Amino acid sequence: MTQATPPQGAYDLYDRYCHGQIDRRAFFDGLGRYAVGGLTVAGMAASLMPNYAKAQQVDPGDPSIATERYSFEAGGKTIEGLMAHPKRGDRFPAVLVVHENRGLNPYIEDVARRLAKSGYLALAPDALSPLGGYPGNDDDGRAMQRQRDRGEMLDEFATAARLLATHRKSTGKVGAVGFCFGGAVCNRLAIEVEELAASVPYYGGWPAVEDAEKVGCPLMIHLGGLDERVNAGWPPYEAALLSAGKEYSVHVYDGVNHGFHNDSTSRYAEEEAELSWRRTLAFFGTYLA
C-alpha cells in the first residue's frame, strides 16, 4: 500500500463525500481511520482529490480540432459550454457530453476534445452557468450544483441535445455520454429526447422501472464493479429493459470504483477506462454513422 493507493475504505469515504452524504470535515476525520502503515490523511486526501493536470489528454490548442465557447437559451436561462469538432470537414455526427455533479470541470472539457479528435461535434454544457459557471474547484462546484433544480438541469441538457440535431455542423445524428450525475442524465435523455440515437451512461443513477418502456434509443452502460451504491439499482432496471424489449449492453469492470474513467484522481483505472472508451466510440460509430 502506498500514498498513491489508499485502501478501499478511503475510496468509499470519498464517494460519500463527493455525493454530499458527508461534509469535508467528516471526510478528513474518516480518513484518519486509515492513517496507518505510513499512510497519512494529507497523503490520502491528495491522492483522492482531483489533479486536472493529469486529465489533459488532448491539448486545448491541438491543431486538428477547433474549440469555441458556445451558449444557448433553455428555460429562460443562458447556458454556456464548450463545443469542439474536427478542424477539417463540414458536418459531423454529434455527441452531448454531460458532466458530473460539479459543473464543467477540465476533465469533462477534455472528454469533449477527445470526441472531436475522434471525428465528432461535441458539446459539453455547464449546468452551473446560471450561477456563474464552474468556479474552478470541485468543492465549490458541488455546492453550487446542489443549489440548482435537477429537473431544470435535465431540461437544459435535453435542449442541448435537440440543438445538436439541427446544428449546421451536425449530420443530425446525436448521441450522449455522461458520468455520475451525467450518467443519470443520459439515462433520462434516452427516455425524453426522441432525437437521441444512442446514449452511454457511465455509473449513473437509474430512472423508475416503469419508464424503461419509454427508452427510445440503444444504451451502452458502464459500471465499476466496486460501485455498490449505483450498482444496487441496476438489476431491477435491467429487468424492466428486458421486459420492454429494449436494446442495451452493459459492461461491469471488476475491481474498479465509481469514477474509474476520470483520470484526474486515483480512482482512475487506466486499462478499464481505455477499454470502456474504445467500446463507447465503437458504439457511436455504429449508431451515429
Side-chain angles (χ1 to χ4, degrees):
M1 191 70 66
T2 69
Q3 292 285 26
T5 56
Q8 184 57 41
Y11 285 109
D12 295 340
L13 198 66
Y14 180 66
D15 186 73
R16 294 178 62 201
Y17 171 57
C18 280
H19 295 91
Q21 296 174 358
I22 58 174
D23 62 18
R24 186 178 180 89
R25 179 174 180 176
F27 169 58
F28 276 87
D29 286 348
L31 286 179
R33 298 196 300 270
Y34 304 103
V36 296
L39 289 170
T40 67
V41 169
M44 286 186 286
S47 176
L48 292 165
M49 295 292 194
N51 177 355
Y52 286 121
K54 297 179 181 178
Q56 185 173 292
Q57 295 188 19
V58 180
D59 192 296
D62 189 300
S64 69
I65 64 173
T67 60
E68 62 178 287
R69 291 294 160 178
Y70 183 83
S71 63
F72 59 94
E73 297 298 315
K77 299 179 178 67
T78 300
I79 307 300
E80 299 180 348
L82 179 71
M83 180 171 279
H85 57 79
K87 191 162 284 186
R88 293 187 176 183
D90 296 321
R91 299 169 70 219
F92 315 96
V95 178
L96 177 70
V97 184
V98 190
H99 59 66
E100 305 147 306
N101 65 338
R102 62 212 70 173
L104 182 55
N105 60 30
Y107 154 63
I108 298 296
E109 290 189 340
D110 197 71
V111 170
R113 293 194 295 269
R114 295 174 205 176
L115 284 162
K117 285 281 288 185
S118 295
Y120 294 93
L121 170 66
L123 174 60
D126 187 355
L128 301 186
S129 298
L131 302 178
Y134 176 70
N137 70 85
D138 282 13
D139 281 353
D140 290 340
R142 279 191 293 269
M144 290 171 66
Q145 191 157 321
R146 286 196 293 269
Q147 297 174 35
R148 297 234 42 219
D149 180 83
R150 194 176 184 92
E152 289 183 0
M153 290 189 287
L154 176 61
D155 289 345
E156 289 155 9
F157 284 110
T159 296
R162 296 183 182 108
L163 287 172
L164 281 174
T166 58
H167 192 277
R168 62 185 178 83
K169 288 190 173 294
S170 170
T171 61
K173 288 283 192 177
V174 181
V177 61
F179 309 87
C180 186
F181 162 80
V185 169
C186 284
N187 276 318
R188 290 301 314 175
L189 294 178
I191 291 167
E192 299 189 12
V193 179
E194 63 182 25
E195 292 88 348
L196 206 63
S199 190
V200 182
Y202 274 77
Y203 33 80
W206 312 106
V209 293
E210 57 266 26
D211 287 336
E213 64 181 19
K214 303 173 188 175
V215 169
C217 68
L219 297 168
M220 174 175 277
I221 297 160
H222 299 293
L223 300 172
L226 300 177
D227 190 3
E228 296 179 0
R229 177 180 56 83
V230 169
N231 296 353
W234 169 238
Y237 194 63
E238 180 178 32
L241 291 171
L242 285 169
S243 177
K246 299 302 178 179
E247 183 176 353
Y248 76 92
S249 59
V250 59
H251 301 285
V252 181
Y253 301 87
D254 292 338
V256 302
N257 284 284
H258 182 92
F260 72 86
H261 184 269
N262 185 334
D263 47 358
S264 71
T265 80
S266 60
R267 295 189 298 177
Y268 176 58
E270 182 177 8
E271 181 178 348
E272 291 81 2
E274 292 183 354
L275 174 58
S276 74
W277 195 244
R278 289 195 299 272
R279 287 169 166 166
T280 294
L281 292 177
F283 183 70
F284 285 151
T286 297
Y287 292 100
L288 304 185

